[in-house]
């Protein structure tokens, strides 16, 4: 039996992808299914991670794209790229929990950085990560991102972003030069 990983294909999401992408993002971060991977937020946030309108807003925004990643015709990952002047913002990153830990995330992040440089000429990639996610921040640091110490508050009380299970959540800005 051939166990060679099949190649990934990348494309911009369309309206028709919204439901599949919401399901993917939810499976990677919330609920019991997310525990199959290592990116789960199930212990710090309950409720939803995103919703169809949030995903559609990214798909429709003229300065943003939701990069959809497929293998063998099946959506296995996604990430948001947003052009913000001299930098790009990286967000809404999700890899199917069953495929996490095999280098897929690293390959997608590298491709996202390449596209942001090539298509927009940006010199930095920015992202925000929940500051208590030390394992996730360490993963990004190994890929060249640095912690800035710049924090923004978590939107407590807005259940579109989940129901916090602790009172110390906030987002930290991570930055990587793209050269």
């Amino acid at each position: 039996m051939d166990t060679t990983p099949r190649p990934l294909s990348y494309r911009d999401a369309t309206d028709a992808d919204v439901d599949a992408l919401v399901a993917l993002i939810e499976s990677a971060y919330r609920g019991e299914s997310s525990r199959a991977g290592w990116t789960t937020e199930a212990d710090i946030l309950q409720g939803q991670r995103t919703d169809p309108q949030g995903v559609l807003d990214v798909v429709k925004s003229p300065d943003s794209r939701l990069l959809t990643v497929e293998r063998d015709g099946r959506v296995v990952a996604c990430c948001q790229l947003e052009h913000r002047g001299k930098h790009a913002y990286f967000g809404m990153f999700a890899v199917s929990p069953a495929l996490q830990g095999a280098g897929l995330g690293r390959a997608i992040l590298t491709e996202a950085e390449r596209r942001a440089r090539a298509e927009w000429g940006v010199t930095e990639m920015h992202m925000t990560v929940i500051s208590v996610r030390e394992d996730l921040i360490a993963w990004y640091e190994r890929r060249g991102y640095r912690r800035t110490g710049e924090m923004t508050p978590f939107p407590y009380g807005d259940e579109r972003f989940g129901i916090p299970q602790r009172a110390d959540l906030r987002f930290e800005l991570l930055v990587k030069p793209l050269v």
Side-chain angles (χ1 to χ4, degrees):
M1 182 168 130
D2 182 14
T3 58
T4 305
R6 302 286 183 244
L8 300 175
S9 62
Y10 298 85
R11 63 178 175 79
D12 289 344
T14 67
D15 297 13
D17 296 312
V18 168
D19 290 340
L21 292 170
V22 169
L24 169 70
I25 294 163
E26 292 297 313
S27 75
Y29 291 97
R30 299 289 200 278
E32 287 306 308
S33 67
S34 70
R35 294 183 192 280
W38 68 274
T39 62
T40 183
E41 295 171 345
D43 293 328
I44 60 173
L45 289 158
Q46 300 296 312
Q48 70 179 32
R49 177 66 150 66
T50 192
D51 57 27
Q53 188 59 56
V55 172
L56 188 60
D57 289 347
V58 173
V59 169
K60 294 289 193 189
S61 172
D63 295 322
S64 196
R65 65 175 31 131
L66 192 54
L67 195 58
T68 301
V69 184
E70 294 176 321
R71 177 178 278 159
D72 296 329
R74 188 172 66 91
V75 175
V76 296
C78 67
C79 65
Q80 172 191 9
L81 289 173
E82 184 176 324
H83 188 201
R84 297 184 178 176
K86 293 184 180 186
H87 75 270
Y89 178 80
F90 179 83
M92 214 176 272
F93 189 27
V95 174
S96 174
L99 300 175
Q100 290 178 17
L104 200 61
R106 181 181 315 116
I108 294 162
L109 181 61
T110 299
E111 177 63 11
E113 292 167 352
R114 186 197 69 74
R115 285 176 183 241
R117 273 191 317 270
E119 294 173 21
W120 295 325
V122 296
T123 57
E124 285 185 335
M125 185 77 85
H126 291 197
M127 71 174 71
T128 55
V129 178
I130 297 173
S131 63
V132 299
R133 296 291 318 276
E134 295 293 338
D135 55 343
L136 186 57
I137 291 171
W139 187 86
Y140 284 118
E141 286 179 313
R142 290 191 299 274
R143 272 133 206 97
Y145 286 81
R146 65 174 174 74
R147 298 179 87 154
T148 65
E150 185 179 321
M151 302 288 181
T152 54
F154 186 87
Y156 283 91
D158 187 343
E159 291 188 7
R160 290 177 303 158
F161 301 98
I163 303 166
Q165 302 300 295
R166 47 193 291 178
D168 62 344
L169 301 183
R170 55 193 181 154
F171 294 104
E172 182 170 2
L173 176 67
L174 304 182
V175 175
K176 178 180 180 178
L178 299 179
V179 284

